[in-house]
């Protein structure tokens, strides 16, 4: 669909306004909606172990680890749902997505 000249790329804000009406997960990649694949039990176990490890390491730092339910806004046309992400600061005003990541 990405190469179809009739397909209009959308922004992260437009993407977040869509009600997909399904339990499937989607990401926005370069303005194009992509359905995410499911994981395996082993993959889930690894992600859970990383979250558990980070929980203890981040205690008292002002940072928190999040699972794949928290999106990361990469730019205006990319929103990803990584298995594990870390955000430092206050997410009180975020709508299911953290602001653009800051490489460290």
């Amino acid at each position: 669909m990405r190469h179809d000249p009739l397909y209009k790329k959308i922004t992260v804000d437009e993407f977040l306004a869509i009600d997909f009406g399904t339990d499937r997960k989607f990401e926005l990649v370069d303005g194009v909606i992509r359905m995410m694949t499911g994981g395996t039990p082993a993959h889930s176990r690894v992600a859970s172990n990383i979250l558990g490890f980070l929980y203890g390491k981040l205690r008292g730092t002002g940072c928190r680890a999040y699972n794949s339910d928290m999106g990361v806004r990469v730019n205006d046309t990319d929103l990803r749902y990584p298995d594990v992400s870390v955000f430092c600061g206050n997410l009180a005003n975020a709508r299911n997505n953290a602001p653009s990541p800051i490489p460290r």
Side-chain angles (χ1 to χ4, degrees):
M1 183 181 314
R2 175 184 179 151
H3 301 292
D4 185 338
L6 297 177
Y7 184 82
K8 176 188 171 283
K9 291 183 179 186
I10 64 172
T11 66
V12 169
D13 291 331
E14 291 170 320
F15 174 78
L16 291 173
I18 296 172
D19 178 8
F20 289 100
T22 178
D23 60 346
R24 296 179 187 235
K25 290 181 82 172
F26 298 87
E27 289 184 315
L28 187 65
V29 180
D30 191 27
V32 177
I33 299 169
R34 303 277 175 129
M35 186 169 61
M36 297 173 64
T37 61
T40 64
H43 181 99
S44 180
R45 193 169 49 252
V46 168
S48 296
N49 286 337
I50 292 170
L51 278 169
F53 173 79
L54 288 173
Y55 178 81
K57 290 293 185 184
L58 294 172
R59 186 179 301 239
T61 66
C63 300
R64 288 193 172 177
Y66 293 90
N67 66 13
S68 61
D69 291 334
M70 177 64 78
V72 176
R73 182 187 299 250
V74 179
N75 56 43
D76 287 341
T77 59
D78 288 270
L79 181 76
R80 303 298 181 99
Y81 290 91
D83 296 323
V84 177
S85 59
V86 174
F87 183 78
C88 302
N90 185 358
L91 280 178
N93 297 326
R95 291 180 23 194
N96 289 358
N97 69 90
S100 299
I102 300 170
R104 296 186 186 225

